[in-house]
Amino acid sequence: MNRFLLSIFLLSLALILRADPVSDFTASPAVDADNTSILVVDLKSGKKIISHNADLPLIPASITKSVTIATLLSKVGEDYQYTTPVFLNAPVDDGIVEGDIIVEASGDPAINTVHDPKSDDFIAEIVAGLKALGVDTIRGKIVVDESKFPGPSINPTWQTGDLGYAYGTGTHGFNFHDNASGNKSVQNPIANFQSLLTNSLKAAGITIQALNVKGSDHDFVPVCRHVSPTIDEIMRSCMMRSDNQYAEAMLRLVGATYGDKGSTAVGAEQMLSFWRHKHANLKGVKIVDGSGLSRSNRITALFMADMLRIMSKNPYYASFFPLAGLEGTLKHLLAKTPLEGYLALKTGSMRGVQCYAGYKLDDDYAPTHIVVVMLNNLPDRAEARRQLNTLLLKTFLPNYNP
């Protein structure tokens, strides 16, 4: 090869290398290439369009929620509703109940939530139910039975600095008003509920005497049954707002429906077991919570891609993800670009971590590609997001010139 042809070849090679969007992205000082994982897969062909450190276990942050929701949706279906029954454990005799009013906790994360979708006011339902039974005095107490959802409400791997805030609040068998007061966590939502219910009953002319009385073992009088919105609405709300409490409650329901206990530990164990049976690549994967708030979680892009591929066949699942440039936590990514509305991704962010996982969509909002980007040890979040805009545009629209 003469020098002229050699120089042309080297120049062409340099231009090709420079035009590689992945190399440009990982070479940026805004990211740590050794702690970055990227995987883009064409769903139709199975071809990996981009693959960089796809088998590297990294901290996933809130993209963990997409795994929790996928696991639960696969078991209960989109029409499932939490049902929380309330009953008396003694008959009503001339307006008096010689027993307790009992709430059987269902793990519902959205009772009296401030977020959409909302359901009926639980306290108003109980008051109305007791009035319809002619109750004016309850000798016993307000008892909340959480026995189906054992274990600590706070994941032991969460950082203590998160626990005082609403996003780090605990998840119980019985959750009320988002287990939060403004931006602060409420450690005992049952006590809050009992106080508000007592006041509402008093205002309605019903007295709770809170005595230690023994109710009947066989006389159970139904008061009401609180029913949540359908689980697909709760899942969509969780994903759009990245609600940790909702995700943890759904992990507990994974434990209760796949296993024998509605605990976080059983839920995490059953979730991994489910994906193992689906032949997802679990090498290096460790999941200890449902929300991704724990820094002990480790997930690979390969596992996420397997999970997203399997769930792409579900007609509801992709609709839970925020649309780029338009919705939720993805509102600013790719805004006012040709990809606006064409990427549906769950975000995940915490100190030093920025992750994305979801789908590229066609004009009918059907998934065409899997997209997973996981950034750990992140030097510059804002610049990394700008660089990611460029990476995604060059990947899916190589001829686009902004």
Side-chain angles (χ1 to χ4, degrees):
M1 181 180 295
N2 62 40
R3 289 185 179 182
F4 175 75
L5 291 176
L6 179 60
S7 64
I8 294 294
F9 171 76
L10 292 175
L11 177 61
S12 299
L13 181 60
L15 289 172
I16 291 170
L17 290 174
R18 183 169 178 77
D20 176 14
V22 181
S23 297
D24 288 348
F25 183 75
T26 56
S28 168
V31 303
D32 178 353
D34 291 337
N35 286 282
T36 292
S37 178
I38 308 169
L39 187 59
V40 177
V41 181
D42 186 318
L43 275 168
K44 186 175 181 179
S45 68
K47 180 182 177 182
K48 293 177 181 177
I49 308 299
I50 296 175
S51 181
H52 173 81
N53 287 343
D55 60 350
L56 180 65
L58 293 171
I59 299 172
S62 283
I63 66 171
T64 307
K65 293 179 175 71
S66 61
V67 184
T68 303
I69 284 170
T71 311
L72 183 59
L73 182 66
S74 298
K75 177 70 171 182
V76 302
E78 68 279 358
D79 294 326
Y80 177 88
Q81 293 173 285
Y82 291 93
T83 301
T84 306
V86 182
F87 56 90
L88 302 168
N89 66 349
V92 181
D93 185 3
D94 195 24
I96 298 173
V97 178
E98 292 284 349
D100 302 315
I101 179 169
I102 299 175
V103 176
E104 189 175 303
S106 65
D108 186 347
I111 294 176
N112 283 47
T113 180
V114 300
H115 305 291
D116 289 328
K118 296 182 177 69
S119 55
D120 292 336
D121 181 349
F122 188 42
I123 287 179
E125 289 178 307
I126 296 171
V127 172
L130 291 171
K131 293 291 285 185
L133 291 170
V135 175
D136 56 49
T137 303
I138 298 175
R139 301 283 196 203
K141 302 175 182 180
I142 300 168
V143 177
V144 178
D145 179 6
E146 295 186 290
S147 59
K148 293 181 181 178
F149 298 89
S153 62
I154 299 290
N155 192 295
T157 67
W158 287 1
Q159 296 190 327
T160 55
D162 293 327
L163 305 184
Y165 296 96
Y167 71 84
T169 193
T171 300
H172 309 254
F174 180 79
N175 306 291
F176 184 73
H177 202 267
D178 305 305
N179 301 344
S181 176
N183 192 38
K184 302 296 183 183
S185 67
V186 170
Q187 295 183 0
N188 191 346
I190 289 178
N192 183 32
F193 162 72
Q194 289 169 327
S195 175
L196 291 172
L197 179 56
T198 298
N199 292 337
S200 293
L201 289 172
K202 182 178 179 181
I206 301 173
T207 301
I208 293 279
Q209 294 184 339
L211 301 175
N212 291 319
V213 294
K214 182 175 176 11
S216 170
D217 292 330
H218 57 274
D219 288 321
F220 297 101
V221 181
V223 174
C224 66
R225 292 173 68 85
H226 178 82
V227 180
S228 77
T230 55
I231 199 73
D232 65 324
E233 294 181 276
I234 292 174
M235 288 176 171
R236 187 170 292 109
S237 178
C238 174
M239 292 280 277
M240 290 290 170
R241 297 180 299 103
S242 202
D243 191 302
N244 293 330
Q245 196 266 125
Y246 276 31
E248 294 300 328
M250 285 187 273
L251 181 65
R252 282 180 172 267
L253 188 56
V254 167
T257 55
Y258 283 90
D260 58 353
K261 290 181 181 178
S263 68
T264 297
V266 172
E269 176 187 300
Q270 291 296 322
M271 185 154 70
L272 289 173
S273 176
F274 173 80
W275 293 108
R276 188 174 294 110
H277 286 125
K278 289 289 184 179
H279 305 293
N281 188 333
L282 286 171
K283 185 178 181 180
V285 174
K286 177 184 178 183
I287 299 177
V288 299
D289 72 4
S291 64
L293 189 58
S294 175
R295 299 185 78 92
S296 296
N297 292 316
R298 293 294 184 274
I299 283 178
T300 67
L302 286 177
F303 166 71
M304 290 299 298
D306 281 347
M307 185 275 295
L308 290 164
R309 173 182 52 80
I310 291 166
M311 293 306 297
S312 67
K313 299 176 177 62
N314 185 293
Y316 294 90
Y317 183 66
S319 71
F320 301 157
F321 290 70
L323 293 174
L326 299 174
E327 294 179 320
T329 56
L330 210 64
K331 196 167 186 178
H332 301 293
L333 186 74
L334 295 165
K336 302 187 185 336
T337 74
L339 286 180
E340 181 179 272
Y342 282 89
L343 281 164
L345 303 172
K346 180 70 193 80
T347 61
S349 64
M350 56 173 56
R351 180 172 47 83
V353 176
Q354 186 67 56
C355 298
Y356 301 87
Y359 302 103
K360 164 76 168 58
L361 308 174
D362 64 16
D363 289 333
D364 296 320
Y365 296 96
T368 61
H369 295 76
I370 291 164
V371 179
V372 183
V373 179
M374 302 178 70
L375 311 174
N376 281 195
N377 195 32
L378 190 63
D380 187 338
R381 189 185 308 275
E383 180 59 25
R385 285 171 171 163
R386 285 191 286 270
Q387 295 286 343
L388 180 60
N389 266 19
T390 302
L391 170 63
L392 293 171
L393 285 165
K394 287 183 176 179
T395 298
F396 292 112
L397 301 169
N399 297 321
Y400 174 68
N401 187 18

